[in-house]
Amino acid sequence: MTLRLYYHPLSSFCQKALIALYETGAPFTPQIVDLRDEKDRAAFLKLWPIGKFPVLKDEARDRLVPESSIIIEYLAQHYSGKSALVPADAARQTRLRDRFFDLYVNTPMQKVVGDRMRPADKKDPFGVDHAREQIRTAVGMLDQEIGSKTWVMGETFTMADCAAAPALFYANMVAPFMDTHKNVAAYFQRLAKRPSYARVQKEAEPYLNMVPK
Ligand SMILES: N[C@@H](CCC(=O)N[C@@H](CS)C(=O)NCC(=O)O)C(=O)O
């Protein structure tokens, strides 16, 4: 096994990379990192001092690949199998939509959840309101766009869908949209049935009670 994924099953950005790994069918060794565990944390920081996962290690090519989108680009280049995670004829549009979900859904969702873990005197209600507003804007845009499509880029499941699935799942917890945005709700139902994401969700289930309410 040449690939090793450093990750946590609950993390939305790790789930994004995991979906891509399951889509490609590339064999890999999953290595759970518990950032609350001092030893795990220190070992992970030694590997990638930024301290954010997912990180992929490719022993065969002697490469360390951080950042979920870069991991997916790497898989698309070297381990794509039958999947077209970044289709050559629509690469820029795919990347734009991947950025869209990371920057305007996933990151603001993290802001809202992260604020729940802050001490009472360190909360940032203004930032949280802004983050929720950003999610609502992004979901509204997606609702207009996704209507006639199966996946974000049309009929092909791409990196953009890998980014969308976990981002939407958690975003719905902090700025619910299932009852108000029917097209996004239908799209999320399709994502939930996609075997790669269904597997990721099943693996995350035992940890879901760790999400701060
Ligand atoms: N831009 C990064 C974001 C990764 C990220 O934010 N990961 C979170 C988990 S979802 C993390 O590592 N959080 C731990 C921390 O910040 O201490 C990517 O796309 O991989």
Side-chain angles (χ1 to χ4, degrees), residues 134-154:
Q134 211 159 48
I135 294 171
R136 288 193 193 105
T137 301
V139 167
M141 288 170 71
L142 179 64
D143 204 59
Q144 302 223 331
E145 192 182 293
I146 198 73
S148 58
K149 297 180 190 167
T150 306
W151 308 117
V152 168
M153 293 302 297

Side-chain angles (χ1 to χ4, degrees), residues 146-172:
I146 198 73
S148 58
K149 297 180 190 167
T150 306
W151 308 117
V152 168
M153 293 302 297
E155 287 312 302
T156 306
F157 188 95
T158 68
M159 169 162 74
D161 301 293
C162 300
L168 289 174
F169 174 78
Y170 288 112
N172 187 55

Side-chain angles (χ1 to χ4, degrees), residues 15-17 19-21 23-24 69 72-73 76 82-99 101 145-146 149-166 187 191 194 196-197:
Q15 291 187 0
K16 173 181 158 186
I19 296 167
L21 277 158
E23 286 289 329
T24 62
S69 301
I72 297 178
E73 296 267 5
K82 283 189 194 141
S83 66
L85 294 171
V86 188
D89 59 351
R92 187 164 46 84
Q93 286 299 324
T94 303
R95 291 182 181 116
L96 169 63
R97 283 156 174 85
D98 169 72
R99 298 292 72 234
F101 288 110
E145 192 182 293
I146 198 73
K149 297 180 190 167
T150 306
W151 308 117
V152 168
M153 293 302 297
E155 287 312 302
T156 306
F157 188 95
T158 68
M159 169 162 74
D161 301 293
C162 300
Y187 169 55
L191 286 168
R194 183 88 179 176
S196 57
Y197 182 48

Side-chain angles (χ1 to χ4, degrees), residues 8 10-17 35 41 44-45 48 50-55 66-71 98-99 102-103 106-107 109-110 170:
H8 192 280
L10 200 56
S11 142
S12 52
F13 282 102
C14 295
Q15 291 187 0
K16 173 181 158 186
L35 288 174
R41 188 179 189 87
F44 184 62
L45 286 175
W48 179 236
I50 295 295
K52 291 204 184 273
F53 41 39
V55 170
E67 292 291 318
S68 57
S69 301
I70 306 302
I71 291 172
D98 169 72
R99 298 292 72 234
D102 276 15
L103 297 174
N106 209 340
T107 301
M109 174 281 293
Q110 280 184 332
Y170 288 112

